[in-house]
Amino acid sequence: MPISPSGPSLAEVGESKVIEEIMGAAPSQVNGDDAAVLVSAQPNSRVVVSTDMLVERRHFRLDWSTPREVGRKAILQNFADIEAMGARPISALLALSAPPETPLGLVRELAAGIEEEVSRFSAELVGGDLASGPGLVLAVTAVGSLGGDRRPLTLDAARPGQRVVAAGAIGDSAAGLALLERHGREVPEEFEAFRDAHTHPHLPPGRGMIARATGASAATDNSDGLVADLGTLARRSGVAIDLDPRAIAPGPAMRRVGEHLGIDPWCWVLGGGEDHTILATTSGDVPSGFRCIGTVQRGSGVTVGGQPPAYRNGWLSF
Amino acid sequence: MPISPSGPSLAEVGESKVIEEIMGAAPSQVNGDDAAVLVSAQPNSRVVVSTDMLVERRHFRLDWSTPREVGRKAILQNFADIEAMGARPISALLALSAPPETPLGLVRELAAGIEEEVSRFSAELVGGDLASGPGLVLAVTAVGSLGGDRRPLTLDAARPGQRVVAAGAIGDSAAGLALLERHGREVPEEFEAFRDAHTHPHLPPGRGMIARATGASAATDNSDGLVADLGTLARRSGVAIDLDPRAIAPGPAMRRVGEHLGIDPWCWVLGGGEDHTILATTSGDVPSGFRCIGTVQRGSGVTVGGQPPAYRNGWLSF
């Protein structure tokens, strides 16, 4: 199933043509020099930076995801880290390693996906680097702006008595990955939304800023797994987190995926990552677009309805 | 010749131990959250960002360079791009892909090299990402601060009548590479300085800022090759550049390397890159630490004493 473009290779067209295609697909007035000079930030704002690497066959497969989806997800997972500080993503940089035989069209589609996602955040691809290498590797750096003098949302700032709130899907990406592992890209039509939750997850811009503006103190995003990521937050804050099983329970559609695959869907909810849903703790009201999924308590570790989680396996790089 | 560490592998010690080692070798108070919040920049300053990727066997070889040298060079080549804008490097991020069997000691040494180089610039490693992948790939992003309201030093700002000035070695890295290709790391003792110019080139901090403060308008660094990089600058500025052959002529030591290898050393001076020497154009005095190597003229292209360069091959990614 050819979901990747064919046509002339990077080696055939040469470096300057490849750069021209990327800059054409994702234009910016500040790209193209030794480094990019960003527009002056607002007074009293701080710069926030984060980087993430995607390795082919480790983080994505080109028979499961289109290059455009890979480009979108590369931006999204980096921008989620900026949002999780309560900041606004403003720029991205792309360092790309690709084999010389890679079709130019594939890189063009990657860049188009990057442009789609940065545009959603009113941000820009402002620079990059291109290298020949044995496999496809994308390293994206995101730059954000943290306005005002409130503290950023940090991993160590959860306090007992706070609510734990979430602003998006939990477990959908992992359910989609399980479907891809079983079926490849041609999953049953009724389950396509889960596949898409894995290949192009959705992050509504501004949730991190909203959480910060309405009194949240700590945040992270669901990248490695709900229990793993909240476990890190709990450990760094010196608190316990108890999740409400009714608030995070798999919905009817996810349960049908579980029945179809013969897998307990709770393993996706508790152990699956890559939803990039913003998870925050707050003493105030539940911020707009969020829902309450648990509480912060004295103690340590993550529980579900007071019990140890049935699944806790998260993503590990090694 | 074992110049790389042995010992337990990344897979054996696990991700969190690897991150702990990197953060121990290159400590920073702002590292360790979803993203790094940088200290407030001075008023009226702009943020400058750049990224560069190093792929094992393409950009470095671990039988030629120690991991510490690779770490240093990864920072240096990124900071050179910040300096070439006339800005001050303040932070770096490292995205690292490594095979699971990579010794932990290798990553520790990489991080130690990164710390050595960022420290020379009073900068910090503020964040990163770690991925398992088939080869060793480093993607470094550099963040700089551009103070004051003068323009940055851009590729398109060279003007006829200006001097072309340089602040470091030209061709030394390429001569070192040629020695490594012939001898491996054990080059003849009298030529070790050239090997070292390739494996750990030197960039004196602040040259870009000095050039900008004393009236330079355009700058780049010698990364792809003198003729290639100045050719880009000339094209982007719509000018010609004539290099003074006496100012860039290979010195006695480089000529001896040429005789030893049977290679015309002019090919290193004109075609060799990776010196990361700051090259600027200025209407004012030659800035401190720089020397004059040519003039900006009306026209197009790069000449040497009015003649087409004998060598012009530069680094190409594909």
Side-chain angles (χ1 to χ4, degrees):
Chain A
M1 176 194 35
I3 61 169
S4 270
S6 53
S9 71
L10 304 189
E12 281 162 358
V13 302
E15 176 174 9
S16 60
K17 174 69 177 167
V18 182
I19 292 172
E20 192 184 300
E21 288 283 340
I22 294 173
M23 290 176 64
S28 168
Q29 294 207 331
V30 300
N31 199 349
D33 219 298
D34 293 295
V37 179
L38 305 184
V39 289
S40 276
Q42 67 208 83
N44 204 20
S45 79
R46 285 164 281 176
V47 174
V48 180
V49 287
S50 181
T51 190
D52 251 333
M53 195 175 242
L54 282 86
V55 178
E56 188 184 357
R57 284 183 291 274
R58 176 75 183 161
H59 300 101
F60 64 90
R61 285 175 51 161
L62 287 173
D63 53 342
W64 287 356
S65 296
T66 65
R68 190 177 286 244
E69 288 170 338
V70 173
R72 285 190 56 172
K73 193 165 169 176
I75 294 297
L76 183 138
Q77 70 179 50
N78 273 280
F79 280 9
D81 286 327
I82 301 294
E83 290 268 350
M85 303 300 290
R88 187 171 76 81
I90 54 172
S91 305
L93 298 108
L94 169 70
L96 175 66
S97 159
E101 64 274 16
T102 305
L104 175 62
L106 188 153
V107 173
R108 190 191 298 124
E109 283 296 301
L110 269 180
I114 285 171
E115 172 63 18
E116 273 181 29
E117 199 65 28
V118 296
S119 293
R120 290 186 56 245
F121 286 82
S122 305
E124 281 179 42
L125 183 72
V126 297
D129 188 36
L130 191 60
S132 174
L136 206 54
V137 180
L138 288 79
V140 169
T141 298
V143 183
S145 172
L146 185 75
D149 56 5
R150 270 179 199 264
R151 291 186 65 259
L153 304 179
T154 51
L155 290 168
D156 60 4
R159 297 290 172 262
Q162 289 185 321
R163 288 162 161 160
V164 180
V165 296
I170 297 177
D172 292 26
S173 175
L177 177 60
L179 285 162
L180 285 160
E181 284 170 344
R182 176 74 57 91
H183 294 286
R185 191 167 170 90
E186 299 297 322
V187 307
E189 195 177 339
E190 62 168 321
F191 300 145
E192 281 179 354
F194 289 97
R195 176 198 64 195
D196 295 349
H198 181 76
T199 58
H200 54 271
H202 179 66
L203 176 72
R207 287 300 156 216
M209 282 206 303
I210 289 170
R212 179 167 172 256
T214 55
S217 60
T220 189
D221 73 304
N222 181 9
S223 55
D224 293 342
L226 185 65
V227 173
D229 289 315
L230 288 180
T232 299
L233 191 147
R235 181 173 49 77
R236 292 283 296 276
S237 293
V239 298
I241 286 177
D242 186 49
L243 295 168
D244 176 355
R246 289 158 305 179
I248 58 171
M254 191 187 287
R255 289 204 304 272
R256 281 198 300 278
V257 178
E259 285 157 20
H260 172 75
L261 296 175
I263 295 175
D264 179 358
W266 277 100
C267 85
W268 301 323
V269 167
L270 297 173
E274 292 199 273
D275 292 310
H276 300 296
T277 285
I278 303 297
L279 308 166
T281 74
T282 182
S283 307
D285 292 336
V286 176
S288 170
F290 285 78
R291 65 189 185 282
C292 183
I293 63 166
T295 52
V296 183
Q297 305 180 348
R298 292 181 198 283
S300 65
V302 177
T303 51
V304 181
Q307 303 299 315
Y311 302 90
R312 53 168 60 251
N313 56 303
W315 171 268
L316 285 175
S317 292
F318 292 99
Chain B
M1 177 191 37
I3 62 169
S4 271
S6 53
S9 73
L10 304 189
E12 282 163 356
V13 301
E15 176 175 6
S16 60
K17 174 69 177 168
V18 182
I19 292 171
E20 192 185 300
E21 287 282 341
I22 294 174
M23 290 176 63
S28 167
Q29 293 208 331
V30 300
N31 199 350
D33 218 299
D34 293 295
V37 179
L38 306 184
V39 289
S40 277
Q42 67 208 85
N44 203 21
S45 79
R46 284 165 281 177
V47 174
V48 180
V49 287
S50 180
T51 191
D52 251 333
M53 196 175 242
L54 282 85
V55 178
E56 187 184 356
R57 283 181 293 273
R58 177 75 183 160
H59 299 102
F60 63 90
R61 285 176 51 163
L62 288 173
D63 53 343
W64 288 356
S65 295
T66 66
R68 190 177 286 243
E69 287 169 338
V70 173
R72 287 190 55 172
K73 192 164 169 176
I75 294 298
L76 182 137
Q77 71 180 50
N78 274 279
F79 280 10
D81 287 326
I82 301 295
E83 290 267 351
M85 303 301 288
R88 186 171 76 81
I90 54 172
S91 305
L93 298 108
L94 169 70
L96 175 66
S97 159
E101 65 273 17
T102 305
L104 175 62
L106 189 153
V107 173
R108 189 190 299 125
E109 282 295 301
L110 269 181
I114 285 170
E115 173 63 17
E116 274 181 25
E117 198 66 26
V118 296
S119 293
R120 289 186 55 244
F121 285 81
S122 304
E124 280 179 42
L125 183 72
V126 298
D129 187 36
L130 191 59
S132 173
L136 205 56
V137 180
L138 288 80
V140 170
T141 298
V143 183
S145 172
L146 186 74
D149 57 5
R150 270 177 200 263
R151 293 185 65 260
L153 304 179
T154 52
L155 291 168
D156 60 3
R159 296 292 172 260
Q162 289 184 321
R163 288 162 161 158
V164 180
V165 296
I170 297 176
D172 291 25
S173 175
L177 177 60
L179 285 162
L180 284 159
E181 284 169 344
R182 175 74 60 89
H183 294 286
R185 192 166 169 89
E186 299 296 324
V187 308
E189 197 177 338
E190 63 167 322
F191 300 145
E192 280 178 354
F194 289 97
R195 176 197 66 195
D196 296 348
H198 181 76
T199 58
H200 51 274
H202 179 66
L203 178 70
R207 288 300 156 214
M209 283 207 304
I210 289 170
R212 179 167 172 256
T214 54
S217 60
T220 190
D221 74 301
N222 181 11
S223 54
D224 293 342
L226 185 65
V227 172
D229 289 314
L230 288 179
T232 299
L233 190 148
R235 181 173 50 77
R236 293 284 296 277
S237 294
V239 298
I241 285 176
D242 186 49
L243 294 167
D244 176 354
R246 287 159 305 179
I248 58 172
M254 191 186 287
R255 289 204 305 272
R256 280 197 299 278
V257 177
E259 285 157 20
H260 172 74
L261 297 173
I263 295 174
D264 179 359
W266 277 99
C267 84
W268 301 324
V269 167
L270 298 174
E274 292 199 273
D275 292 311
H276 300 295
T277 285
I278 303 296
L279 308 166
T281 73
T282 184
S283 307
D285 292 335
V286 176
S288 169
F290 284 79
R291 65 191 184 281
C292 182
I293 63 165
T295 54
V296 183
Q297 305 181 348
R298 293 181 197 283
S300 66
V302 176
T303 51
V304 180
Q307 303 298 315
Y311 302 91
R312 54 166 60 249
N313 55 302
W315 171 268
L316 284 174
S317 291
F318 293 99

